[in-house]
Amino acid sequence: MDETDFRVRSAQRKRQKMRARLLTATMDVCGGAGAGAGNPAVIDDVIRAAGVSRGTFYKYFASLEEARLALGQHLTNELVEGLASMFDQVRDPVRRTASGWIVIMLRAAFDPAWGAFVVRTEHFTEDSELLAAVRRNTLAGMDSGAFQLDRVDAAVDYQIGVAMEGMRRLISDGTEATAYVATLTALGLRGLGLDGRRARGAAAAALQDVTTRAPQFLPWWRS
């Protein structure tokens, strides 16, 4: 029985590793510089990047679009888990919003392939864990009086838009990441109803908090 269990666990680990390998190749291909509209990615690109056969790809995914959707779900879930682990004990919605923007944008600056994939896909759907977390935090900010807003849906779209545009900037040119992220975060907070002084202070405090906590919680982080 033990030997059978070992074989089952070993097979599961191999499947997980292969699936992760295919998802990594999907991100490299779909998020890379050559993945624009003039040079659309195809399955052959993914299997070439992963170094596997076409048959192996189809054991895990029925199409490239299915692989892309699976990767989008994995990346957003991973992002939410990382933020939750870092800020689970932080109750201030302003600090949580600022920290979320900072983590997302700096991840794109540190890993342009990740950023390029995220900004090219449409996996921020209504059932996304990330959107659900942003919505909960927005409601908390409105209830506390920190956010001066009329519509929750517009505020959620606005916050996602700030993150996406910041990521596009950071992966497209040589912008100095830390200063840019701090400035955009402060501007974003002003759009949620904070005055300029409080927004700048909250952005600076959140940036310091992120750089302190991140090495303990985020495997992709680097100084």
Side-chain angles (χ1 to χ4, degrees), residues 130-210:
L130 181 60
L131 257 67
V134 172
R135 181 180 176 82
R136 287 193 299 271
N137 192 64
T138 301
L139 288 169
M142 294 172 69
D143 289 343
S144 71
F147 297 159
Q148 305 299 312
L149 306 168
D150 296 323
R151 290 183 62 104
V152 176
D153 54 355
V156 170
D157 290 344
Y158 167 74
Q159 290 172 76
I160 296 299
V162 169
M164 295 298 101
E165 289 307 312
M167 291 166 65
R168 288 190 179 95
R169 169 67 65 180
L170 290 165
I171 64 179
S172 66
D173 63 29
T175 299
E176 200 284 311
T178 303
Y180 174 80
V181 167
T183 300
L184 186 57
T185 297
L187 289 171
L189 291 174
R190 293 189 69 178
L192 293 175
L194 278 70
D195 63 51
R197 182 176 180 180
R198 186 180 177 192
R200 289 190 297 273
L207 181 60
Q208 179 61 46
D209 196 23
V210 167

Side-chain angles (χ1 to χ4, degrees), residues 44-188:
D44 285 344
D45 296 325
V46 174
I47 63 177
R48 191 160 43 244
V52 300
S53 68
R54 180 177 288 270
T56 297
F57 178 89
Y58 283 117
K59 285 181 181 178
Y60 294 85
F61 304 107
S63 65
L64 179 57
E65 182 61 20
E66 184 177 303
R68 291 176 76 253
L69 290 174
L71 177 58
Q73 183 180 39
H74 169 73
L75 293 178
T76 53
N77 290 348
E78 178 186 63
L79 186 61
V80 171
E81 289 170 4
L83 288 169
S85 66
M86 287 179 67
F87 300 105
D88 184 56
Q89 302 303 314
V90 176
R91 295 290 175 250
D92 178 10
V94 173
R95 179 68 63 86
R96 291 174 70 91
T97 296
S99 299
W101 275 329
I102 290 166
V103 168
I104 292 171
M105 287 190 282
L106 288 182
R107 175 72 191 270
F110 291 166
D111 188 351
W114 179 91
F117 179 84
V118 170
V119 299
R120 288 173 188 263
T121 55
E122 297 180 355
H123 52 266
F124 294 110
T125 57
E126 288 302 319
D127 58 351
S128 161
E129 288 189 22
L130 181 60
L131 257 67
V134 172
R135 181 180 176 82
R136 287 193 299 271
N137 192 64
T138 301
L139 288 169
M142 294 172 69
D143 289 343
S144 71
F147 297 159
Q148 305 299 312
L149 306 168
D150 296 323
R151 290 183 62 104
V152 176
D153 54 355
V156 170
D157 290 344
Y158 167 74
Q159 290 172 76
I160 296 299
V162 169
M164 295 298 101
E165 289 307 312
M167 291 166 65
R168 288 190 179 95
R169 169 67 65 180
L170 290 165
I171 64 179
S172 66
D173 63 29
T175 299
E176 200 284 311
T178 303
Y180 174 80
V181 167
T183 300
L184 186 57
T185 297
L187 289 171

